[in-house]
Amino acid sequence: MVKIIASSVRKGNVLEVEGKLYVVLTAQNFHPGKGTPVTQIDMRRISDGVKVSERYRTTEQVERAFVEDREHNFLYEDGEGFHFMNPESYDQLTMSQEDIGDLKAYLQEGMTVILSVHEGVAIAIDLPRHVTLEIAETEPVVKGQTASSSYKPAILSNGVRTLVPPHISAGTRVVIATEDGSYVERAKD
């Protein structure tokens, strides 16, 4: 086990707390005007999926579990879950719907992802920072409206709602940030 300070914990890290493994869902650092800075960590216990929320002083030590982060290709989804293949060894791993969570909307066949593997079991997934998707529907383009800070709602081809600049129309391919589903830029392809 490796000890790290609480403020350096990031989403997707795997921590060992009281002998159990937890995957980090969110980690936020709070620096109040008075008092001690703290790190709020929301985690999911890997063994049974129970979500817990812990608060640590930012300088407190937490144990990070040893996991291997390896590239895998997303193959398909079925009743068992999401299937991934290691491109070097051709070993296949399956992750459940609960493990993937909201990220399933951004998974595309053949996409290369980083899986965190602990003792042969995939416990966390890290998607590419950006994906290219098509706008399924949005309000029509308004002539003369500049690409200022005003955004309009749009629905992507994967069903996720986001906000896009006024000049983007339905059928346009755009780059989306997988972290929060926000518009990055118009696709260059």
Side-chain angles (χ1 to χ4, degrees):
M1 295 293 155
V2 180
K3 287 203 177 275
I4 58 171
I5 59 169
S7 63
S8 67
V9 172
R10 298 285 171 258
K11 179 180 177 179
N13 287 166
V14 178
L15 304 179
E16 184 173 310
V17 181
E18 297 170 6
K20 292 187 169 48
L21 292 177
Y22 293 84
V23 64
V24 175
L25 303 173
T26 61
Q28 293 178 304
N29 293 318
F30 295 105
H31 300 277
K34 280 199 222 169
T36 312
V38 293
T39 300
Q40 174 79 32
I41 302 175
D42 294 328
M43 310 178 277
R44 184 175 35 78
R45 192 165 41 224
I46 293 167
S47 58
D48 56 10
V50 172
K51 290 183 182 170
V52 295
S53 191
E54 291 284 338
R55 197 169 262 206
Y56 298 99
R57 290 191 307 279
T58 52
T59 55
E60 214 172 320
Q61 302 266 318
V62 293
E63 287 190 30
R64 187 168 174 193
F66 177 72
V67 292
E68 280 186 273
D69 291 339
R70 283 218 181 110
E71 281 191 357
H72 283 73
N73 294 333
F74 175 60
L75 298 175
Y76 59 92
E77 174 192 3
D78 65 10
E80 291 177 30
F82 296 83
H83 298 267
F84 299 89
M85 181 184 69
N86 182 328
E88 293 160 11
S89 65
Y90 300 108
D91 290 339
Q92 289 191 20
L93 293 171
T94 305
M95 287 186 78
S96 70
Q97 183 87 32
E98 295 81 39
D99 291 342
I100 301 287
D102 298 341
L103 299 176
K104 75 174 187 173
Y106 301 107
L107 276 175
Q108 299 167 347
E109 268 185 43
M111 174 185 272
T112 300
V113 298
I114 305 291
L115 289 186
S116 297
V117 181
H118 180 75
E119 295 177 0
V121 179
I123 53 176
I125 184 170
D126 191 16
L127 293 183
R129 293 176 65 90
H130 300 116
V131 293
T132 302
L133 295 164
E134 194 171 302
I135 300 289
E137 60 182 81
T138 188
E139 297 166 10
V141 176
V142 179
K143 273 229 181 294
Q145 193 170 20
T146 60
S148 67
S149 61
S150 65
Y151 279 77
K152 63 183 182 180
I155 297 176
L156 301 167
S157 56
N158 63 358
V160 173
R161 293 179 175 276
T162 190
L163 294 171
V164 296
H167 66 275
I168 301 288
S169 60
T172 306
R173 290 176 52 79
V174 294
V175 176
I176 300 294
T178 55
E179 191 174 5
D180 58 2
S182 62
Y183 170 85
V184 177
E185 63 184 359
R186 185 183 222 143
K188 292 177 175 57
D189 49 14

Coordinates of all heavy atoms in Angstrom, one line a residue, residues 140-184:
P140 N -33.2 25.6 -34.0 CA -32.6 26.0 -35.2 C -31.6 27.2 -35.1 O -31.7 27.9 -34.1 CB -33.8 26.4 -36.1 CG -34.9 26.7 -35.1 CD -34.6 25.8 -33.9
V141 N -30.7 27.3 -36.0 CA -29.7 28.4 -36.0 C -30.4 29.7 -36.3 O -31.3 29.8 -37.2 CB -28.7 28.1 -37.1 CG1 -27.7 29.3 -37.2 CG2 -27.9 26.8 -36.9
V142 N -30.1 30.7 -35.5 CA -30.7 32.0 -35.6 C -29.7 32.9 -36.4 O -28.6 33.1 -35.9 CB -31.1 32.6 -34.3 CG1 -31.7 34.0 -34.4 CG2 -32.1 31.7 -33.5
K143 N -30.2 33.5 -37.5 CA -29.3 34.3 -38.3 C -28.9 35.6 -37.5 O -29.7 36.1 -36.8 CB -29.9 34.7 -39.6 CG -29.7 33.8 -40.7 CD -29.3 34.6 -42.0 CE -29.1 33.7 -43.2 NZ -28.0 32.8 -43.1
G144 N -27.6 35.9 -37.6 CA -27.2 37.2 -36.9 C -26.8 37.0 -35.5 O -26.3 37.9 -34.8
Q145 N -27.1 35.8 -34.9 CA -26.7 35.5 -33.5 C -25.2 35.1 -33.5 O -24.8 34.2 -34.1 CB -27.6 34.4 -32.9 CG -27.5 34.4 -31.4 CD -28.5 33.4 -30.9 OE1 -29.0 32.6 -31.5 NE2 -28.8 33.6 -29.6
T146 N -24.4 35.9 -32.8 CA -23.0 35.6 -32.7 C -22.7 34.5 -31.7 O -23.5 34.2 -30.9 CB -22.2 36.9 -32.3 OG1 -22.7 37.3 -31.0 CG2 -22.4 38.0 -33.3
A147 N -21.5 34.0 -31.8 CA -21.1 32.9 -30.9 C -20.6 33.5 -29.6 O -19.5 33.3 -29.2 CB -20.0 32.1 -31.6
S148 N -21.5 34.3 -29.0 CA -21.1 34.9 -27.7 C -21.3 33.9 -26.6 O -21.4 32.7 -26.8 CB -22.0 36.2 -27.5 OG -23.3 35.8 -27.3
S149 N -21.4 34.4 -25.4 CA -21.5 33.5 -24.2 C -22.9 32.9 -24.1 O -23.2 32.2 -23.1 CB -21.1 34.2 -23.0 OG -22.0 35.3 -22.8
S150 N -23.8 33.2 -25.0 CA -25.2 32.5 -24.9 C -25.1 31.1 -25.5 O -24.5 30.9 -26.5 CB -26.2 33.4 -25.6 OG -26.0 33.4 -27.0
Y151 N -25.7 30.2 -24.8 CA -25.7 28.8 -25.2 C -27.2 28.3 -25.3 O -28.0 28.8 -24.6 CB -25.0 27.9 -24.2 CG -23.5 27.9 -24.4 CD1 -22.7 29.0 -24.0 CD2 -22.8 26.9 -25.0 CE1 -21.3 29.1 -24.1 CE2 -21.4 26.9 -25.2 CZ -20.7 28.0 -24.8 OH -19.4 28.0 -24.9
K152 N -27.4 27.3 -26.2 CA -28.8 26.8 -26.3 C -28.7 25.3 -26.0 O -27.7 24.6 -26.1 CB -29.3 27.0 -27.7 CG -28.5 26.3 -28.8 CD -29.1 26.6 -30.2 CE -28.3 25.9 -31.2 NZ -28.8 26.2 -32.6
P153 N -29.8 24.7 -25.5 CA -29.8 23.3 -25.1 C -29.8 22.4 -26.4 O -30.3 22.8 -27.4 CB -31.2 23.1 -24.4 CG -32.0 24.3 -24.8 CD -31.1 25.4 -25.2
A154 N -29.2 21.2 -26.2 CA -29.1 20.3 -27.3 C -29.1 18.9 -26.8 O -28.7 18.6 -25.6 CB -27.8 20.5 -28.1
I155 N -29.6 17.9 -27.6 CA -29.5 16.5 -27.2 C -28.5 15.8 -28.1 O -28.6 15.9 -29.3 CB -30.9 15.8 -27.3 CG1 -31.9 16.5 -26.3 CG2 -30.8 14.4 -27.0 CD1 -33.3 16.1 -26.3
L156 N -27.6 15.1 -27.5 CA -26.6 14.4 -28.3 C -27.1 13.1 -28.8 O -28.1 12.6 -28.3 CB -25.3 14.2 -27.4 CG -24.7 15.5 -26.9 CD1 -23.7 15.1 -25.8 CD2 -24.0 16.2 -28.0
S157 N -26.3 12.4 -29.7 CA -26.7 11.1 -30.3 C -26.8 10.0 -29.2 O -27.4 9.0 -29.4 CB -25.8 10.7 -31.4 OG -24.4 10.7 -30.9
N158 N -26.1 10.2 -28.1 CA -26.2 9.2 -27.0 C -27.3 9.5 -26.0 O -27.4 8.8 -25.0 CB -24.8 9.1 -26.3 CG -24.4 10.4 -25.6 OD1 -25.1 11.4 -25.7 ND2 -23.3 10.4 -24.9
G159 N -28.1 10.6 -26.2 CA -29.2 10.9 -25.4 C -28.9 11.9 -24.3 O -29.8 12.3 -23.5
V160 N -27.6 12.3 -24.1 CA -27.2 13.2 -23.1 C -27.6 14.6 -23.5 O -27.4 15.0 -24.6 CB -25.7 13.1 -22.8 CG1 -25.3 14.1 -21.8 CG2 -25.4 11.7 -22.2
R161 N -28.1 15.4 -22.5 CA -28.4 16.8 -22.8 C -27.2 17.6 -22.5 O -26.5 17.4 -21.5 CB -29.6 17.3 -21.9 CG -30.9 16.6 -22.2 CD -32.0 17.1 -21.3 NE -33.2 16.6 -21.6 CZ -34.0 17.1 -22.6 NH1 -33.6 18.2 -23.2 NH2 -35.2 16.6 -22.9
T162 N -26.9 18.7 -23.3 CA -25.8 19.6 -23.0 C -26.2 20.9 -23.6 O -27.2 21.1 -24.2 CB -24.5 19.0 -23.7 OG1 -23.4 19.8 -23.3 CG2 -24.6 19.0 -25.2
L163 N -25.3 21.9 -23.4 CA -25.5 23.2 -24.0 C -24.4 23.5 -25.0 O -23.3 23.1 -24.8 CB -25.3 24.3 -22.9 CG -26.4 24.2 -21.8 CD1 -26.1 25.2 -20.6 CD2 -27.8 24.6 -22.4
V164 N -24.9 24.0 -26.2 CA -24.0 24.3 -27.3 C -24.1 25.7 -27.7 O -25.1 26.4 -27.5 CB -24.2 23.3 -28.5 CG1 -24.0 21.9 -28.1 CG2 -25.7 23.5 -29.0
P165 N -23.1 26.3 -28.4 CA -23.2 27.7 -28.9 C -24.3 27.8 -30.0 O -24.7 26.8 -30.6 CB -21.9 27.9 -29.6 CG -20.9 26.9 -29.0 CD -21.8 25.7 -28.7
P166 N -24.9 29.0 -30.2 CA -26.0 29.2 -31.1 C -25.8 28.7 -32.5 O -26.7 28.4 -33.2 CB -26.3 30.7 -31.0 CG -25.4 31.2 -30.0 CD -24.5 30.2 -29.5
H167 N -24.5 28.8 -33.0 CA -24.3 28.4 -34.4 C -24.3 26.9 -34.7 O -24.2 26.5 -35.9 CB -23.0 29.1 -34.9 CG -21.8 28.5 -34.2 ND1 -21.4 29.0 -33.0 CD2 -20.9 27.5 -34.5 CE1 -20.3 28.3 -32.6 NE2 -20.0 27.4 -33.5
I168 N -24.4 26.1 -33.7 CA -24.3 24.6 -33.9 C -25.8 24.2 -34.2 O -26.7 24.5 -33.5 CB -23.8 23.9 -32.6 CG1 -22.4 24.4 -32.2 CG2 -23.9 22.4 -32.8 CD1 -21.3 23.9 -33.1
S169 N -25.9 23.3 -35.3 CA -27.2 22.8 -35.7 C -27.2 21.3 -35.6 O -26.2 20.7 -35.4 CB -27.5 23.3 -37.2 OG -26.5 22.7 -38.0
A170 N -28.4 20.8 -35.7 CA -28.6 19.3 -35.6 C -27.8 18.6 -36.7 O -27.7 19.1 -37.8 CB -30.1 18.9 -35.7
G171 N -27.2 17.5 -36.4 CA -26.4 16.8 -37.4 C -24.9 17.2 -37.3 O -24.1 16.5 -37.9
T172 N -24.6 18.2 -36.6 CA -23.2 18.6 -36.5 C -22.5 17.7 -35.5 O -23.0 17.4 -34.5 CB -23.1 20.1 -35.9 OG1 -23.9 20.9 -36.8 CG2 -21.7 20.6 -35.9
R173 N -21.2 17.4 -35.8 CA -20.4 16.5 -34.9 C -19.6 17.5 -34.0 O -19.0 18.4 -34.5 CB -19.5 15.6 -35.7 CG -20.3 14.5 -36.4 CD -19.4 13.6 -37.3 NE -18.2 13.0 -36.7 CZ -18.3 12.0 -35.8 NH1 -19.4 11.4 -35.5 NH2 -17.1 11.5 -35.3
V174 N -19.7 17.2 -32.7 CA -19.0 18.1 -31.7 C -18.2 17.3 -30.8 O -18.4 16.1 -30.6 CB -20.1 18.9 -30.9 CG1 -20.8 19.9 -31.8 CG2 -21.1 18.0 -30.2
V175 N -17.2 17.9 -30.2 CA -16.4 17.3 -29.2 C -16.9 17.6 -27.8 O -17.2 18.8 -27.5 CB -14.9 17.8 -29.3 CG1 -14.0 17.2 -28.2 CG2 -14.3 17.4 -30.7
I176 N -17.1 16.6 -27.0 CA -17.8 16.7 -25.6 C -16.8 16.2 -24.6 O -16.1 15.2 -24.8 CB -19.1 15.9 -25.6 CG1 -20.1 16.3 -26.6 CG2 -19.7 15.9 -24.2 CD1 -20.6 17.7 -26.4
A177 N -16.7 16.9 -23.4 CA -15.9 16.5 -22.3 C -16.6 15.4 -21.6 O -17.8 15.6 -21.2 CB -15.6 17.7 -21.4
T178 N -16.0 14.2 -21.4 CA -16.6 13.1 -20.7 C -16.8 13.4 -19.2 O -17.7 12.8 -18.6 CB -15.8 11.8 -20.9 OG1 -14.5 12.0 -20.5 CG2 -15.9 11.4 -22.3
E179 N -16.0 14.2 -18.6 CA -16.1 14.5 -17.2 C -17.4 15.1 -16.8 O -18.0 14.7 -15.8 CB -14.9 15.4 -16.8 CG -14.8 15.5 -15.3 CD -13.5 16.3 -14.9 OE1 -12.8 16.9 -15.8 OE2 -13.3 16.4 -13.7
D180 N -17.9 16.1 -17.5 CA -19.1 16.7 -17.1 C -20.1 16.9 -18.3 O -21.2 17.5 -18.1 CB -18.8 18.1 -16.5 CG -18.0 19.0 -17.5 OD1 -17.8 18.6 -18.6 OD2 -17.7 20.2 -17.1
G181 N -19.9 16.3 -19.5 CA -20.8 16.4 -20.6 C -20.9 17.7 -21.2 O -21.9 18.1 -21.9
S182 N -19.9 18.6 -21.0 CA -19.9 19.9 -21.6 C -19.3 20.0 -23.0 O -18.5 19.2 -23.4 CB -19.2 20.9 -20.7 OG -17.9 20.6 -20.6
Y183 N -19.8 21.0 -23.8 CA -19.4 21.2 -25.1 C -17.9 21.8 -25.1 O -17.6 22.6 -24.3 CB -20.3 22.3 -25.8 CG -19.8 22.8 -27.1 CD1 -20.0 22.1 -28.3 CD2 -19.1 24.0 -27.2 CE1 -19.6 22.6 -29.5 CE2 -18.6 24.5 -28.4 CZ -18.9 23.8 -29.6 OH -18.4 24.3 -30.8
V184 N -17.0 21.2 -26.0 CA -15.7 21.7 -26.0 C -15.4 22.5 -27.3 O -15.0 23.7 -27.3 CB -14.6 20.5 -26.0 CG1 -13.2 21.0 -26.1 CG2 -14.8 19.8 -24.7

